[in-house]
Amino acid sequence: MNAKVRILDNGRGAWLELDGKTMGEGIDLIEYKKKGSDPAELTIHIQNTDDFQFHPDGTFDKAEKWLKEQTGSGKPLLATPWD
């Protein structure tokens, strides 16, 4: 599988986009390893599957835009608008 992976961390939580599907809540560990020409290894740990959910398309892009706007202000991060 040659999937596109994007990871975003705002200091309070993280979002993961894997082939266009965004995940956030319920994930308590994201680990990405890539060494030289070896295949990449991605570990996603979900402690409680009741908390896990996929987000609607476009959520990762919204989170990325929001984080860029917030970190440029120099103020502490507020709750994300979709929390």
Side-chain angles (χ1 to χ4, degrees), residues 14-76:
W15 291 270
L16 169 72
E17 185 182 75
L18 181 59
D19 267 356
K21 297 295 181 192
T22 302
M23 299 164 257
E25 285 78 10
I27 296 176
D28 60 352
L29 172 73
I30 300 171
E31 188 174 57
Y32 179 84
K33 294 180 185 178
K34 176 76 172 121
K35 184 175 180 181
S37 62
D38 293 346
E41 184 179 313
L42 177 66
T43 302
I44 305 168
H45 185 263
I46 300 169
Q47 181 68 30
N48 183 348
T49 56
D50 291 336
D51 294 337
F52 176 78
Q53 62 179 302
F54 286 101
H55 292 281
D57 288 347
T59 301
F60 190 94
D61 294 325
K62 288 178 188 175
E64 188 174 45
K65 181 182 177 197
W66 176 86
L67 184 59
K68 285 180 183 176
E69 290 170 355
Q70 295 298 312
T71 54
S73 70
K75 297 177 184 175

